């Protein structure tokens, strides 16, 4: 139905006149924030924005479009920013259709399932076409604190980052876990090769493999069973299923709408809350520590930010 579209080329660079005040003292007493109790009664947290509300109103699962594209996390995030701005009836299919017709996503007629990727400039253009003027900032020009302040001020923010590094893990700890062959193939570096090799072994045999060209270098060991193997998995290696360059630096691989912030009572940022369609999670928390790895240090990471606030506590400004 559609011819193959290529990535937008010669995108004009935009000067970003905004000056960031990283020393800003935040007034956590305003209606932009609400206190949430934690397991430690003496240490509540302060939530900025209305992430709980957005978890109910936004589209929380990528791939629900008529074209069968599942690689469209950026397009789903565009859809969710449009919903935040008051376009409550817009769907993932609507945004996918516009992206295909305007060349604002990658599309391969021979690989429709993995089509739909939209780079940040494409996300920005799609929002602009709906009258939601936006600007793209790569991570050196927009740190995590600045993202938080945008969200707290009611701006729409699409964060493009490395999702494989967004979870808590301790790189100094190895644990034993059972991995079925399907999980091995889908998530581990060179998982297909591991599963194919291990399938030639007998139940109870040990497996040891050195995989130096995964970008991180890893040694895998474990005991083979009929259904999979019991592996000693180092968490930093387990997370290395992210695409990395020759030095092991991860690439951006996902896009989410940022829906809220979490701070301590002194105003220190603890993390962001996001609507992550690739995981089917409408309210996921990413700590500032993990954001250092998955956003700040990821190649090609950045944000698409609406130039003006689009809502006040979930109420669209221009609806």
């Amino acid at each position: 139905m559609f011819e193959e579209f290529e990535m937008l080329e010669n995108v004009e660079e935009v000067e970003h006149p905004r000056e960031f005040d990283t020393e800003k003292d935040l007034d956590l007493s305003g209606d932009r924030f609400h206190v949430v109790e934690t397991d430690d009664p003496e240490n509540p947290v302060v939530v900025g924005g209305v992430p709980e509300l957005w978890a109910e109103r936004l589209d929380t699962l990528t791939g629900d479009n008529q074209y069968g594209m599942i690689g469209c996390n950026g397009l789903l995030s565009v859809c969710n920013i449009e919903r935040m701005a008051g376009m409550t009836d817009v769907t993932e299919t609507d945004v996918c259709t516009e992206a295909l017709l305007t060349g604002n996503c990658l599309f391969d007629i021979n690989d429709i399932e993995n089509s739909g990727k939209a780079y940040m400039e494409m996300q920005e253009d799609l929002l602009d076409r709906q009258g939601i003027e936006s600007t793209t900032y790569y991570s050196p020009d927009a740190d995590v604190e600045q993202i938080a302040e945008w969200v707290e001020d009611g701006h729409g923010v699409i964060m493009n980052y490395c999702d494989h590094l967004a979870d808590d893990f301790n790189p100094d700890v190895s644990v034993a876990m059972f991995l079925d062959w399907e999980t091995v193939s889908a998530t581990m570096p060179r998982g297909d090769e591991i599963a194919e090799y291990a399938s030639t072994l007998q139940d109870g045999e040990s497996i040891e493999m050195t995989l130096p060209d995964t970008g991180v270098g890893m040694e895998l060991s474990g005991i083979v069973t009929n259904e999979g193997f019991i592996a000693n998995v180092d968490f930093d290696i387990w997370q290395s299923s992210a695409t990395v360059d020759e030095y092991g630096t991860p690439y951006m691989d996902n896009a989410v709408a940022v829906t809220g912030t979490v701070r301590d009572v002194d105003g220190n940022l603890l993390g962001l809350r996001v609507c992550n369609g690739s995981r089917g999670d409408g309210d996921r928390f990413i700590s500032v520590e993990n954001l250092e790895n998955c956003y700040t240090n990821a190649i090609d990471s950045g944000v698409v930010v609406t130039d003006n606030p689009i809502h006040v506590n979930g109420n669209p400004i221009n609806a």
Side-chain angles (χ1 to χ4, degrees):
M1 178 166 28
F2 294 98
E3 297 179 358
E4 182 174 346
F5 289 95
E6 300 294 337
M7 174 181 172
L8 290 178
E9 297 180 353
N10 303 320
V11 177
E12 182 180 353
E13 291 191 6
V14 179
E15 294 185 1
H16 308 311
R18 171 171 175 159
E19 295 182 0
F20 301 106
D21 180 8
T22 56
E23 301 298 323
K24 178 179 178 182
D25 292 326
L26 295 175
D27 178 10
L28 300 184
S29 63
D31 59 3
R32 297 180 304 159
F33 302 93
H34 57 281
V35 177
V36 177
E37 298 296 331
T38 67
D39 293 337
D40 183 355
E42 296 183 359
N43 291 291
V45 297
V46 181
V47 174
V50 285
E52 302 92 346
L53 179 65
W54 293 131
E56 298 176 358
R57 293 183 179 178
L58 302 184
D59 190 333
T60 62
L61 184 61
T62 303
D64 185 19
N65 61 79
Q66 69 182 44
Y67 305 106
M69 300 187 300
I70 62 174
C72 47
N73 302 315
L75 298 182
L76 182 70
S77 298
V78 169
C79 172
N80 283 333
I81 297 301
E82 291 178 356
R83 288 191 182 186
M84 287 181 175
M87 299 171 59
T88 56
D89 294 329
V90 68
T91 66
E92 181 181 326
T93 290
D94 295 332
V95 177
C96 288
T97 299
E98 183 170 25
L100 289 167
L101 292 174
T102 59
N104 274 315
C105 72
L106 304 185
F107 185 80
D108 184 349
I109 192 64
N110 296 312
D111 189 12
I112 295 177
E113 184 174 284
N114 291 314
S115 293
K117 180 175 181 178
Y119 294 97
M120 287 190 287
E121 291 82 4
M122 297 174 173
Q123 298 165 18
E124 177 186 335
D125 187 62
L126 288 167
L127 290 172
D128 288 347
R129 289 173 179 272
Q130 295 299 325
I132 307 172
E133 295 185 357
S134 306
T135 303
T136 296
Y137 300 86
Y138 284 86
S139 56
D141 298 319
D143 63 23
V144 175
E145 174 62 37
Q146 292 153 7
I147 294 174
E149 292 184 21
W150 272 318
V151 173
E152 291 161 351
D153 288 340
H155 291 260
V157 179
I158 299 175
M159 182 173 70
N160 295 258
Y161 69 109
C162 179
D163 188 58
H164 286 88
L165 297 179
D167 294 319
D168 287 315
F169 65 95
N170 187 336
D172 298 322
V173 175
S174 293
V175 300
M177 62 172 66
F178 175 76
L179 304 171
D180 61 75
W181 296 130
E182 183 178 354
T183 299
V184 170
S185 297
T187 62
M188 297 198 73
R190 293 170 62 181
D192 290 338
E193 178 182 328
I194 296 172
E196 181 179 359
Y197 169 74
S199 66
T200 66
L201 304 178
Q202 299 297 315
D203 188 3
E205 283 192 74
S206 62
I207 176 174
E208 293 184 6
M209 297 184 70
T210 299
L211 308 175
D213 61 341
T214 60
V216 293
M218 73 178 251
E219 292 185 358
L220 175 71
S221 62
I223 303 298
V224 175
T225 73
N226 290 331
E227 294 80 24
F229 71 99
I230 301 172
N232 292 314
V233 181
D234 190 327
F235 274 139
D236 64 341
I237 293 175
W238 179 247
Q239 295 295 335
S240 72
S241 52
T243 303
V244 297
D245 67 6
E246 58 183 314
Y247 303 105
T249 306
Y251 284 94
M252 175 273 292
D253 62 12
N254 193 28
V256 294
V258 185
T259 58
T261 66
V262 181
R263 298 182 181 272
D264 63 21
V265 292
D266 294 321
N268 299 307
L269 185 66
L270 302 178
L272 302 175
R273 289 165 70 168
V274 303
C275 178
N276 189 340
S278 68
R279 295 175 181 250
D281 192 339
D283 188 11
R284 190 172 190 83
F285 174 75
I286 307 177
S287 69
V288 289
E289 293 80 10
N290 287 341
L291 285 164
E292 181 74 16
N293 293 318
C294 72
Y295 174 76
T296 305
N297 295 331
I299 298 171
D300 295 332
S301 62
V303 289
V304 178
V305 185
T306 62
D307 293 344
N308 299 297
I310 57 175
H311 72 91
V312 176
N313 291 332
N315 298 309
I317 291 176
N318 295 316

